[in-house]
Amino acid sequence: MTASAHQPPQLARANGIDICYEIFGDPAAEPLLLIMGLGAQMVIWDDAFCQQLAARGFRVIRFDNRDIGQSSKMHGGKRLTPFELIKLRFFHIPVAAPYRLIDMAKDTVGLMDALGIQSAHLVGASMGGMIAQEVALSFPHRVRSLTSIMSTTGNPRIPPPTREMAALLMAPPPRTKEEYLARFARTWKMLRAGSFPEDEARDLELAERCFARGINAAGVGRQLRAILASGSRKARLHAVKAPTLVIHGTKDPLVHPAGGKDTAASIPNAKLLMIDGMGHALPIRTWPEIIGAIAAHAHGASAQAA
């Protein structure tokens, strides 16, 4: 991929809000949208990861979801309480939310509209996988293939996050830059569920980049509410027609590995790739296998559709 094939971040009007996006790769290549997870800015899709995917023959588009990074900030929704989680888990009392995953799916489709993309390969991580599933369900003609990474169906029977991960998720947001940088490093070390020195060495620089792009703690809370208020997709996922690949780590502390297995079992003819030793992150050492699997799946789907 040449430098001229990289378009710097810019804003697009999509679904009534502004979405910040960035493109890697040949404009004539097959479009592939990367959808990030809860509270994660688009730069968590590493630059080199995007470049390597683009080199496999894709026009790679990453973007900030609503309420994060440099996309539009929303309003409303109080901080989620443990009491609400208890009511949801044991009494099935829904969590209130200013928006839901279907709204974020419409953001994704709106961005495609703004970029003149009729259909694309969708790759979603964690909450991004949930959004991608929703696009495949609600806008099937827009999806060439679906790759759902370290995500789940919303099935309440899937085991919850580890106690340590849940506590970190519910902790009060950092108040200063120093607290943010420390929290970032601690969070990603816990998410990786192992020793990954090459990634850990880059955490400070990535945290600085995210902080400079803008932090929105209330937005992360609204995104979490969107997930919990959207309920389970399990009963609907049998209707997904897009060729589907599910990727999940065997040591995921946030979305239990059963979540990936449930996703693959719920979507007709879905392929499941379990990555041994991987947590809830995409460590550099896993890139060759993951990028290779995404590229092979997407190109295979296109060949099958031709």
Side-chain angles (χ1 to χ4, degrees):
M1 188 186 75
T2 63
S4 61
H6 174 225
Q7 298 179 28
Q10 49 196 308
L11 293 177
R13 195 70 179 168
N15 193 29
I17 64 174
D18 290 327
I19 296 289
C20 182
Y21 69 95
E22 187 173 6
I23 300 178
F24 301 81
D26 185 343
E30 292 189 58
L32 186 149
L33 267 67
L34 298 174
I35 312 173
M36 197 21 88
L38 173 69
Q41 299 184 27
M42 68 178 181
V43 295
I44 299 297
W45 293 111
D46 191 277
D47 294 5
F49 184 94
C50 296
Q51 291 161 356
Q52 289 179 34
L53 263 178
R56 298 291 188 110
F58 299 102
R59 180 189 183 199
V60 177
I61 301 145
R62 66 181 181 184
F63 63 97
D64 289 324
N65 286 308
R66 61 166 64 196
D67 252 341
I68 201 72
Q70 297 183 346
S71 290
S72 288
K73 308 303 184 288
M74 314 310 287
H75 304 283
K78 296 179 180 178
R79 180 171 172 76
L80 193 69
T81 66
F83 183 56
E84 286 179 283
L85 292 177
I86 291 171
K87 288 196 297 182
L88 175 66
R89 185 157 187 86
F90 296 104
F91 303 104
H92 308 295
I93 298 173
V95 167
Y99 55 83
R100 300 190 179 202
L101 292 176
I102 182 60
D103 299 296
M104 303 180 83
K106 290 176 180 177
D107 295 346
T108 304
V109 173
L111 177 60
M112 293 170 63
D113 289 339
L115 297 177
I117 297 171
Q118 290 299 313
S119 64
H121 301 286
L122 299 188
V123 178
S126 196
M127 179 186 73
M130 303 172 196
I131 295 168
Q133 291 170 27
E134 193 61 63
V135 176
L137 285 166
S138 302
F139 305 93
H141 59 292
R142 309 301 296 268
V143 184
R144 300 186 188 189
S145 73
L146 168 64
T147 300
S148 181
I149 305 175
M150 53 197 183
S151 192
T152 186
T153 61
N155 180 356
R157 294 186 177 183
I158 298 301
T162 64
R163 184 175 300 178
E164 295 79 11
M165 201 72 249
L168 190 60
L169 196 64
M170 295 298 292
R175 294 167 296 178
T176 65
K177 179 180 179 179
E178 290 68 28
E179 286 184 6
Y180 174 80
L181 298 180
R183 176 77 62 84
F184 186 99
R186 181 183 168 205
T187 298
W188 283 99
K189 187 171 181 61
M190 191 178 295
L191 286 170
R192 292 188 193 106
S195 178
F196 296 90
E198 190 176 3
D199 299 87
E200 291 165 18
R202 301 166 65 177
D203 279 345
L204 179 58
E205 179 184 356
L206 184 54
E208 292 269 11
R209 186 177 184 185
C210 289
F211 190 86
R213 295 185 78 245
I215 304 304
N216 182 26
V220 178
R222 283 188 288 267
Q223 288 185 351
L224 181 56
R225 284 184 174 276
I227 293 171
L228 297 174
S230 295
S232 176
R233 291 167 301 285
K234 183 173 175 61
R236 295 189 292 140
L237 285 172
H238 69 88
V240 171
K241 297 291 191 284
T244 300
L245 170 65
V246 177
I247 301 174
H248 215 105
T250 61
K251 293 177 63 177
D252 194 325
L254 183 59
V255 179
H256 194 279
K261 294 175 182 177
D262 191 46
T263 303
S266 302
I267 298 175
N269 302 312
K271 296 176 288 186
L272 175 63
L273 173 60
M274 298 296 294
I275 307 289
D276 189 48
M278 187 176 89
H280 197 80
L282 301 175
I284 295 167
R285 72 176 71 159
T286 67
W287 289 3
E289 185 174 11
I290 290 174
I291 290 172
I294 293 170
H297 175 65
H299 285 313
S302 294
Q304 188 176 7

